[in-house]
Amino acid sequence: MKTQPRLLAFIPIAALLASCTPGSPDAPAGDSATASSTPTAASSSPTMTISPSATPTRQSPSTTETESAAEVDTRDWKTFAVHGISFKYPSNWTIRVDDLDDPSPDPDNPYQDWDIITEKGHSIATFEANSAKDTDGDLATYKRTTLETEKVPAKLHTPAVFVAEHFVQTESGDDSNDEKFVMFLSTKERAEDRGTDPALSYFMPVADFYAIFESDGDLPEALGIDDEHVTIDAAKKIMKSQEYRTLKAMMLSISVK
């Protein structure tokens, strides 16, 4: 803090004037969505085509560097709902069953992966109502930096938070590192203790369901960034993008019946 000795005589007057200045109002709370199987506004039905070295670093997570999800206009968004879990998404985006590894995908299967695709055709995130994934075989270590967190407004089975994270992944016996970026929903407890070991990003919207809602490598790729070399600066660039703001609003709109 800079000091100015010549102005000390005026401190009482300045303090008196400062005490007369009204404080800033609290920031508005984010929107929460109501589960529904129909669009949130007058629009067509949702398109669904069958076809986790050191303790994680936290950089005072906030929404000051990005547009708050509450500022994203969701009035004409649709609602995707499956197994009592729902979230909103833009009317010009697509959510479809991931059939890459399954020639006969089943949309009624709670373990089914769903791809989230932008209006430009980029598949930038996945959703799974219930997951049986694990970290077996992953011997890498992770140095994580939390860039942003925000509480999910809806009341879920277990309190959840939105997280944007940069991490450096070091494979066992390999000197090379991959730098990556991911945004996801997590239980509050798990988000605060991800450590350096492999960690899945899951939350519990309803009892006995370990849901996954996270971005994938195509998010940075869609913005012209190599998904294996995402520096902190590149991650912050991602966080200023429309894709990030939209996907964040989708994640924060998660709700249950």
Side-chain angles (χ1 to χ4, degrees), residues 50 82-83 97 105-112 114:
I50 301 300
V82 62
H83 301 288
V97 171
D106 180 6
D108 293 325
N109 178 6
Y111 297 97
Q112 179 67 61
W114 295 85

Side-chain angles (χ1 to χ4, degrees), residues 202-235:
Y202 68 79
F203 65 107
M204 298 185 69
V206 295
D208 300 323
F209 268 52
Y210 297 85
I212 291 179
F213 197 169
E214 64 181 0
S215 64
D216 59 32
D218 282 347
L219 174 57
E221 293 284 355
L223 300 172
I225 301 171
D226 185 342
D227 73 306
E228 294 185 351
H229 298 88
V230 184
T231 63
I232 287 286
D233 287 341

Side-chain angles (χ1 to χ4, degrees), residues 42-257:
S43 57
S44 57
S45 300
T47 302
M48 291 177 281
T49 307
I50 301 300
S51 16
S53 65
T55 302
T57 304
R58 294 184 180 272
Q59 295 190 348
S60 300
S62 67
T63 59
T64 55
E65 292 189 9
T66 62
E67 179 183 8
S68 170
E71 297 176 15
V72 176
D73 188 356
T74 64
R75 288 175 296 180
D76 66 343
W77 283 21
K78 298 177 180 179
T79 296
F80 172 83
V82 62
H83 301 288
I85 309 166
S86 67
F87 58 87
K88 295 189 282 189
Y89 70 102
S91 57
N92 59 348
W93 285 31
T94 302
I95 300 178
R96 71 184 182 195
V97 171
D98 181 3
D99 59 356
L100 182 62
D101 299 318
D102 188 352
S104 302
D106 180 6
D108 293 325
N109 178 6
Y111 297 97
Q112 179 67 61
D113 285 331
W114 295 85
D115 291 333
I116 297 171
I117 304 168
T118 70
E119 79 281 6
K120 297 178 182 179
H122 300 296
S123 179
I124 65 171
T126 58
F127 173 76
E128 193 174 354
N130 198 12
S131 177
K133 293 183 174 70
D134 58 45
T135 60
D136 289 353
D138 187 349
L139 303 179
T141 57
Y142 297 80
K143 182 179 180 180
R144 299 181 167 93
T145 301
T146 301
L147 301 175
E148 183 177 16
T149 62
E150 188 167 335
K151 180 182 177 180
V152 172
K155 183 177 181 180
L156 308 179
H157 178 71
T158 302
V161 292
F162 163 85
V163 180
E165 178 183 274
H166 173 271
F167 64 87
V168 179
Q169 177 180 345
T170 304
E171 296 293 341
S172 177
D174 190 345
D175 293 334
S176 63
N177 297 323
D178 288 339
E179 291 188 79
K180 298 188 178 184
F181 173 84
V182 65
M183 50 195 298
F184 56 89
L185 292 184
S186 172
T187 61
K188 184 177 182 296
E189 180 180 7
R190 192 170 184 82
E192 294 173 348
D193 187 28
R194 283 168 62 77
T196 60
D197 295 329
L200 292 175
S201 309
Y202 68 79
F203 65 107
M204 298 185 69
V206 295
D208 300 323
F209 268 52
Y210 297 85
I212 291 179
F213 197 169
E214 64 181 0
S215 64
D216 59 32
D218 282 347
L219 174 57
E221 293 284 355
L223 300 172
I225 301 171
D226 185 342
D227 73 306
E228 294 185 351
H229 298 88
V230 184
T231 63
I232 287 286
D233 287 341
K236 291 180 179 179
K237 177 182 176 182
I238 293 173
M239 293 171 68
K240 294 179 181 179
S241 69
Q242 183 62 44
E243 286 84 352
Y244 176 89
R245 294 192 295 267
T246 301
L247 188 52
K248 175 185 173 183
M250 291 172 61
M251 291 182 177
L252 288 175
S253 74
I254 200 83
S255 64
V256 296
K257 291 182 179 178

Side-chain angles (χ1 to χ4, degrees), residues 3-17:
T3 59
Q4 301 183 27
R6 296 179 181 178
L7 298 180
L8 289 176
F10 299 97
I11 289 177
I13 297 177
L16 178 61
L17 292 175

